[in-house]
Amino acid sequence: MKLSPAVITLFVATTEAFTVAPTGHGTSKINMIINGETETASEKVASVFSKLPEENAVVDKLVKTNFPGAISNKDLATRVVELLGEKGFKPSNTLLATSLCADELARELEDEFVEIYGNNFNLGGLSGFPFAGNTGFGAMAAHIPDDGFCLVIHGPHVGITKEGQIGKVERSGIALVDNCCGSAIAASNYLKGITDGGATITPKIQQFTDFQQGAVQELILPFGKRLGRAENRMRELPYALYDSQEALVTDIVNTGKGGIKKGLAVLGGIQINTSPDTLDYFHPLKFDYYDSDGNLVENMLPYLR
C-alpha cells in the first residue's frame, strides 16, 4: 500500500532545525534514574506479570481463534526481552518509545514494558498513528542512553469481549461495554459513508481541534474496498490501520535512523484488549533489528511465533 506524498507530509515535520546531540554530551536523567537498578530485564518481566491475572484458557482460545498468531502480553514480553538481551539491551541502557493509541487501554502494554525498561518516549496518538513524526523521532533518538539501545513498539488496538464480540470491550468501573478502538471505528464509519454514498459533503476537511481524528480518517481511505469485502469488518479494521501505520513508521525510521546509537528494535503489531480481569494479547507483525549504522540486519519476527 502506497501513501501519497501529501499524506506522508501530514505526519513528517522537517528536522533541519533539530540536531542530535553528540554521544557523551552530559548525563541524561534517564541514566540517573535507572543505573542504580539491579534487576535484570527477565526478572522484571516475572515481577510485572506476577501482579496480573493468570492466563484464562477460555479467553486464550477465544482470542487466538479470532486473531491467529496472537500471543499474550506475558509471552510477548518474555520473548522480546530474551531476544533483545542477546543483543545487549538492558533496563540500564534502553529507551522505550511507543506509538500507541491515546486510549487508556493501550497503556496496558506500554506500562508493562515501562516497568521492564524504565522509561517511555511517546510517539503516538489516536489509533496508534505516529503523530510525533520525524521531529519526535529525532528528539527521542537524542534521549537514548549513550552507547545504548532503543525499542520502538507501535500499532493500533482492538477490543474483544468475553462473548467474542470484536470492536467492543469491558472497561473497569463502566457498565457499558464500550467501543474499542473508538477512533478507529469512527474512521471506519466515515469511510463506509463514503463508499456507500451516504457521506455528508462539508467544507471542513480538517479542523485543528480534531486534527488527529481527521488524519486517521484520511489515512484509512485507501482501504475502503478491503474493509467492505471483509467477512468481519471489525476484525479486519486494525490490520488495515496497521498497514497504513507501518508505511509511516518505516518512513520515519528511515529518515531518522542516523540518530541510532548502538541499536534499534522495531516491534509492530495489533494490541488486543480484553476484560479487566484477563491478560491482554498482541499479534506481532514485525520485529526488526537495526545496527548502529541504521542498517536493517535481522528480522526477528519468526522467534515471536
Side-chain angles (χ1 to χ4, degrees):
M1 188 277 296
K2 294 184 178 179
L3 297 176
S4 69
V7 170
I8 294 289
T9 302
L10 187 64
F11 283 87
V12 180
T14 180
T15 56
E16 291 179 357
F18 185 87
T19 303
V20 177
T23 300
H25 184 72
T27 301
S28 71
K29 187 176 180 181
I30 293 172
N31 284 329
M32 289 190 289
I33 292 171
I34 62 183
N35 273 346
E37 296 181 347
T38 58
E39 280 187 298
T40 66
S42 294
E43 289 170 338
K44 286 176 177 287
V45 171
S47 175
V48 168
F49 288 95
S50 69
K51 309 168 195 173
L52 298 177
E54 292 292 328
E55 183 178 289
N56 182 307
V58 174
V59 172
D60 187 72
K61 181 179 180 180
L62 180 68
V63 171
K64 292 178 178 177
T65 298
N66 284 281
F67 300 96
I71 57 178
S72 70
N73 282 10
K74 180 179 180 180
D75 287 343
L76 176 73
T78 301
R79 297 177 197 178
V80 165
V81 162
E82 180 180 352
L83 288 164
L84 295 185
E86 296 172 359
K87 306 287 187 189
F89 286 64
K90 298 182 292 186
S92 61
N93 70 359
T94 301
L95 176 64
L96 173 69
T98 61
S99 183
L100 305 170
C101 186
D103 192 318
E104 73 275 10
L105 293 183
R107 306 284 74 75
E108 292 286 339
L109 178 69
E110 184 177 280
D111 289 347
E112 288 157 7
F113 274 90
V114 164
E115 287 199 53
I116 297 164
Y117 288 112
N119 295 275
N120 177 57
F121 191 109
N122 180 28
L123 298 168
L126 290 181
S127 287
F129 279 94
F131 282 97
N134 284 347
T135 298
F137 190 89
M140 178 278 294
H143 299 174
I144 298 170
D146 296 338
D147 200 31
F149 300 87
C150 178
L151 168 61
V152 173
I153 303 177
H154 74 93
H157 71 128
V158 63
I160 183 169
T161 68
K162 290 181 176 179
E163 287 70 39
Q165 185 178 6
I166 299 172
K168 298 278 188 179
V169 73
E170 299 90 351
R171 295 178 186 261
S172 181
I174 302 175
L176 176 69
V177 177
D178 197 18
N179 287 344
C180 180
C181 167
S183 167
I185 292 172
S188 173
N189 291 339
Y190 167 81
L191 177 57
K192 193 172 188 298
I194 293 173
T195 55
D196 290 354
T200 301
I201 297 175
T202 172
K204 297 179 181 180
I205 302 300
Q206 287 284 2
Q207 295 184 74
F208 183 79
T209 52
D210 206 12
F211 166 77
Q212 289 195 10
Q213 185 59 27
V216 174
Q217 292 176 174
E218 296 300 313
L219 288 159
I220 202 176
L221 287 177
F223 302 99
K225 288 185 178 180
R226 173 175 167 179
L227 292 174
R229 293 168 179 169
E231 180 181 347
N232 185 318
R233 188 180 182 96
M234 288 297 100
R235 182 165 54 207
E236 186 65 24
L237 178 58
Y239 292 97
L241 288 167
Y242 174 82
D243 287 344
S244 182
Q245 292 172 19
E246 168 59 18
L248 294 165
V249 170
T250 297
D251 183 81
I252 290 168
V253 169
N254 286 337
T255 300
K257 63 186 180 182
I260 296 172
K261 293 185 179 176
K262 199 166 184 180
L264 168 71
V266 180
L267 172 64
I270 311 297
Q271 284 192 84
I272 303 160
N273 300 124
T274 66
S275 64
D277 58 346
T278 55
L279 290 175
D280 279 352
Y281 285 73
F282 190 84
H283 185 186
L285 299 172
K286 173 181 182 176
F287 194 27
D288 286 344
Y289 180 69
Y290 296 80
D291 65 15
S292 58
D293 295 320
N295 300 310
L296 175 58
V297 293
E298 186 175 1
N299 169 21
M300 300 185 290
L301 184 60
Y303 302 112
L304 295 183
R305 292 171 172 167

